[in-house]
């Protein structure tokens, strides 16, 4: 149940946002600038690679790894295979996860490690495997973490994780700020709580994704996989700032695309239909955030396959016009039925070969509500930044308003 009145109450939103999620999204642009500077200081921009790697392997806990791999693969196109090393373990907690290099990995391959924690016991052994096999190793993790030490020992390239503008010693989404006077507030290290550790295994939370991704964009620009020069990263940071201004808590719902989408998704089952590789990656991340932050299920599919995969859902009880019972019965004390809502995400303007118009027609034919997130202007990196930022804000608003309204 969504408390829509809370969306237009900035002070109430601030009180509800005990984890600083809105601040994390709003500071994404600052994270990009800081992460780019850290990458330059680590020497990434000065690398002179001999050529492209055969394969880029990505490892990290939860969707800190999978979202990063997904986006790098989408942005690189067919220039080089980007493969996620999926962890195994008896539980989803970082301490129980283990990673293993594929048998074919060797000197021609590049291993990227991304984590907002850096203390996962399963990552240093992966670094040792890669070192023995001759793989190139690059990591983005908190400075002075166990993983950082392992990478440096293996003669890999280590880029410190960019913290927020207030220079906290830990990322916002790893642990909540400690009250003044506690050891953590005085700069001493304390172990994250179980809740914080659980969050690390989920999708990279607002702000942290860009801290992980930006140094890798600098790297893949150097090896020719993605065009991400310093000017493009500055444009990404500027675009994230612009979206933060449009989607901030002080902006009314009727002019705020993230608040408006959060209100539209209330009480519905989102069917996220995507077109284009970047939109597909953004849609999968959006679904993950909806589950992690708001406890909402969402189904993701790429067009045109989504029309067949989800077409039956629109013809069944989830359709907007479905009402098999007596129309005139009293529904005052009944819970509102769950209805599907199609959300279209695409990363290029609709053209003659696009399936977006057909998707609109299918939703209309089944009386199913429809929302769209159109691509912004600019390059592919800016479009990706806008899609990710708006959906991040949407997931946070839905989480905060649902928590207050429940």
């Amino acid at each position: 149940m969504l408390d829509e009145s809370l969306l237009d109450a900035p002070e109430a939103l601030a009180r509800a946002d005990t984890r600083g999620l809105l601040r994390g999204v709003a500071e994404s642009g600052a994270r990009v600038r800081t992460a780019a500077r850290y990458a330059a200081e680590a020497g990434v921009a000065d690398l002179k690679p001999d050529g492209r790697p055969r394969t880029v392997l990505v490892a990290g806990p939860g969707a800190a790894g999978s979202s990063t791999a997904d986006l790098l693969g989408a942005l690189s196109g067919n220039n080089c295979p980007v493969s996620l090393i999926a962890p195994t373990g008896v539980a989803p907690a970082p301490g129980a996860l283990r990673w293993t290099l594929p048998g074919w990995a060797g000197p021609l391959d590049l291993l990227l490690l991304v984590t907002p924690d850096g203390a996962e016991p399963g990552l240093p052994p992966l670094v040792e495997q890669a070192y023995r096999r001759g793989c190139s190793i690059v990591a983005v993790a908190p400075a002075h973490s166990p993983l950082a030490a392992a990478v440096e020992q293996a003669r890999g390239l280590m880029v410190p994780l960019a913290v927020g503008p207030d220079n906290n010693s830990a990322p916002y989404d790893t642990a909540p700020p400690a009250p003044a006077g506690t050891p953590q507030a005085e700069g001493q290290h304390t172990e994250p709580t179980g809740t914080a550790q659980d969050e690390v295994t989920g999708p990279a939370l607002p702000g942290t994704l860009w801290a992980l991704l930006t140094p890798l964009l600098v790297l893949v620009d150097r090896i020719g996989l993605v065009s991400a020069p310093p000017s493009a990263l500055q444009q990404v940071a500027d675009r994230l700032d612009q979206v933060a201004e449009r989607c901030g808590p002080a902006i009314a719902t009727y002019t705020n695309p993230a608040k408006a989408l959060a209100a539209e998704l209330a009480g519905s089952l989102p069917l996220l239909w995507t077109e284009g590789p970047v939109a597909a990656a953004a849609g999968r991340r959006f679904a993950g955030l909806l589950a992690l932050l708001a406890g909402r299920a969402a189904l993701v599919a790429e067009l045109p396959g989504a029309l067949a995969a989800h077409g039956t859902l629109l013809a069944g009880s989830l359709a907007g016009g479905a009402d098999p019972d007596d129309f005139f019965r009293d529904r005052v004390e009944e819970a509102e039925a769950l209805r599907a809502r199609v959300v279209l995400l695409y990363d290029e303007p609709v053209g003659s070969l696009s399936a977006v118009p057909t998707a609109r027609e299918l939703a209309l034919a089944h009386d199913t509500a429809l929302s769209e997130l159109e691509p912004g202007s600019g390059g592919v990196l800016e479009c990706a930044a806008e899609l990710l930022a708006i959906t991040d804000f949407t997931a946070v608003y839905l989480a905060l308003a649902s928590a207050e309204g429940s």
Side-chain angles (χ1 to χ4, degrees):
M1 184 174 182
L2 186 77
D3 182 4
E4 293 190 30
S5 64
L6 186 71
L7 293 177
D8 287 322
E11 294 182 359
L13 280 172
R15 289 193 298 270
D17 190 12
T18 57
R19 289 185 289 171
L21 297 175
L22 284 173
R23 184 182 67 175
V25 188
E27 293 176 348
S28 294
R31 290 285 187 98
V32 170
R33 297 184 183 93
T34 303
R37 186 176 74 250
Y38 283 6
E41 292 172 354
V44 177
D46 298 327
L47 293 176
K48 296 179 180 179
D50 295 330
R52 295 176 181 171
R54 176 178 60 181
T55 303
V56 175
L57 300 167
V58 181
S66 61
S67 291
T68 301
D70 207 3
L71 287 164
L72 284 178
L75 292 169
S76 64
N78 297 320
N79 290 331
C80 175
V82 178
S83 178
L84 173 70
I85 300 177
T88 59
V90 297
L97 299 179
R98 296 293 182 269
W99 289 263
T100 303
L101 282 177
W104 46 262
L108 299 178
D109 304 305
L110 169 64
L111 173 64
L112 305 178
L113 302 109
V114 288
T115 169
D117 187 358
E120 297 86 358
L123 287 178
L126 179 66
V127 173
E128 294 177 9
Q129 293 177 42
Y131 176 70
R132 291 196 303 266
R133 302 252 197 111
C135 300
S136 300
I137 305 169
V138 178
V140 182
H144 312 299
S145 64
L147 177 61
V151 171
E152 291 171 358
Q153 186 175 6
R155 299 180 182 179
L157 179 61
M158 173 65 203
V159 182
L161 181 72
V163 297
D166 59 358
N167 294 321
N168 284 338
S169 60
Y172 297 135
D173 12 31
T174 301
T182 63
Q184 188 175 2
E186 299 299 326
Q188 300 179 18
H189 176 73
T190 58
E191 290 300 324
T193 64
T195 300
Q197 286 280 20
D198 291 342
E199 288 178 357
V200 171
T201 66
L205 294 181
T208 301
L209 175 64
W210 287 106
L212 296 169
L213 183 63
T214 301
L216 301 183
L217 290 175
V218 178
L219 175 67
V220 295
D221 176 73
R222 295 299 302 161
I223 61 180
L225 298 187
V226 177
S227 177
S231 59
L233 294 180
Q234 181 60 49
Q235 292 170 345
V236 167
D238 292 343
R239 179 64 62 89
L240 290 170
D241 288 344
Q242 293 166 9
V243 175
E245 292 177 359
R246 292 168 50 206
C247 299
I251 307 300
T253 298
Y254 67 91
T255 58
N256 187 320
K259 287 184 179 180
L261 182 57
E264 291 168 356
L265 294 181
S268 69
L269 173 65
L271 304 180
L272 308 178
W273 293 356
T274 68
E275 186 170 76
V278 172
R284 288 187 285 269
R285 172 174 162 78
F286 187 27
L289 282 178
L290 288 175
L292 177 69
L293 300 181
R296 301 295 185 95
L299 301 179
V300 191
E302 298 182 40
L303 292 171
L307 303 178
H310 292 171
T312 305
L313 294 176
L314 300 188
S317 60
L318 293 174
D323 190 6
D325 299 323
D326 181 9
F327 178 80
F328 295 101
R329 79 179 190 276
D330 185 6
R331 296 179 175 83
V332 174
E333 297 183 356
E334 293 185 12
E336 185 177 353
L338 183 68
R339 299 293 186 224
R341 185 178 193 96
V342 173
V343 181
L344 295 177
L345 300 91
Y346 42 99
D347 50 36
E348 292 185 359
V350 176
S352 59
L353 298 179
S354 172
V356 170
T358 305
R360 293 172 182 152
E361 294 173 2
L362 181 63
L364 180 63
H366 291 285
D367 295 326
T368 300
L370 177 70
S371 302
E372 291 191 40
L373 288 180
E374 301 178 3
S377 59
V380 63
L381 283 175
E382 290 179 82
C383 292
E386 183 161 336
L387 274 177
L388 290 168
I390 292 177
T391 51
D392 279 2
F393 268 111
T394 299
V396 170
Y397 282 130
L398 195 58
L400 297 179
S402 297
E404 286 294 302
S406 58

